[in-house]
Amino acid sequence: MHLRRRFWVLFGCAVLLALLLPLLPLAPFRQSAGALHVLIYREPATPPGNTVSLASPPTLWVQLTDADGRLVENADLQTAANMTTMDMGQLHFIARRMGRGLYTLRLSFTMPGPWWVRLEAQAPQYEKASQQLSFWVQDMAQPTLHL
């Protein structure tokens, strides 16, 4: 008799758990990360060959959008820059949030020569996106030919 009561108690608990199981999330629902697109505009517009002046480097305007072209707010935009021919130590530029998915950053190079600038953007529920730009920085006091 004692065994029969334990069976029914265990059976009742199993049925109750089976009925409640669909109500309990076993794993948190995770939405897949969407694609993040980085659009870059330069001011002033960089001439062919991406030659810029050491004295007055360009300002970059960065716009972040999703795959459907909607603006992405509240992103973290990180930058790094270095010379391509010698390691000068990475430079980092501060991106200012202008609103509506738009950020601005003023470039500032330390010496003439070939440089790369990498932008990395991360926003909640989006995959990290990065883009790398190349510049030829020249000292306008001593113009040089870059072939």
Side-chain angles (χ1 to χ4, degrees):
M1 196 66 135
H2 209 350
L3 186 60
R4 199 176 275 177
R5 189 175 348 161
R6 283 188 188 165
F7 169 77
W8 287 111
V9 169
L10 286 175
F11 181 73
C13 288
V15 169
L16 187 60
L17 181 62
L19 292 173
L20 292 177
L21 196 57
L23 300 176
L24 301 173
L26 294 178
F29 176 71
R30 296 188 73 178
Q31 188 177 15
S32 62
L36 187 63
H37 297 276
V38 180
L39 304 170
I40 300 172
Y41 306 95
R42 298 175 194 146
E43 188 179 279
T46 307
N50 287 335
T51 302
V52 297
S53 166
L54 184 63
S56 58
T59 297
L60 298 183
W61 293 85
V62 181
Q63 189 173 40
L64 302 176
T65 61
D66 65 8
D68 296 325
R70 291 184 297 249
L71 298 172
V72 175
E73 297 279 342
N74 301 321
D76 180 32
L77 186 62
Q78 299 293 318
T79 63
N82 205 343
M83 292 194 78
T84 60
T85 55
M86 68 178 108
D87 186 8
M88 298 296 294
Q90 286 191 358
L91 298 177
H92 299 279
F93 307 112
I94 298 172
R96 288 185 25 221
R97 185 176 294 157
M98 305 303 285
R100 299 190 49 85
L102 188 63
Y103 300 80
T104 182
L105 57 115
R106 179 149 172 85
L107 302 180
S108 177
F109 301 105
T110 56
M111 67 183 296
W115 285 80
W116 57 260
V117 176
R118 183 175 40 251
L119 304 171
E120 292 183 350
Q122 179 75 47
Q125 290 143 19
Y126 290 94
E127 296 174 0
K128 181 186 271 187
S130 65
Q131 197 169 59
Q132 186 162 311
L133 307 170
S134 297
F135 294 96
W136 179 264
V137 179
Q138 66 181 13
D139 186 358
M140 291 309 237
Q142 302 172 355
T144 59
L145 275 177
H146 175 64
L147 302 175

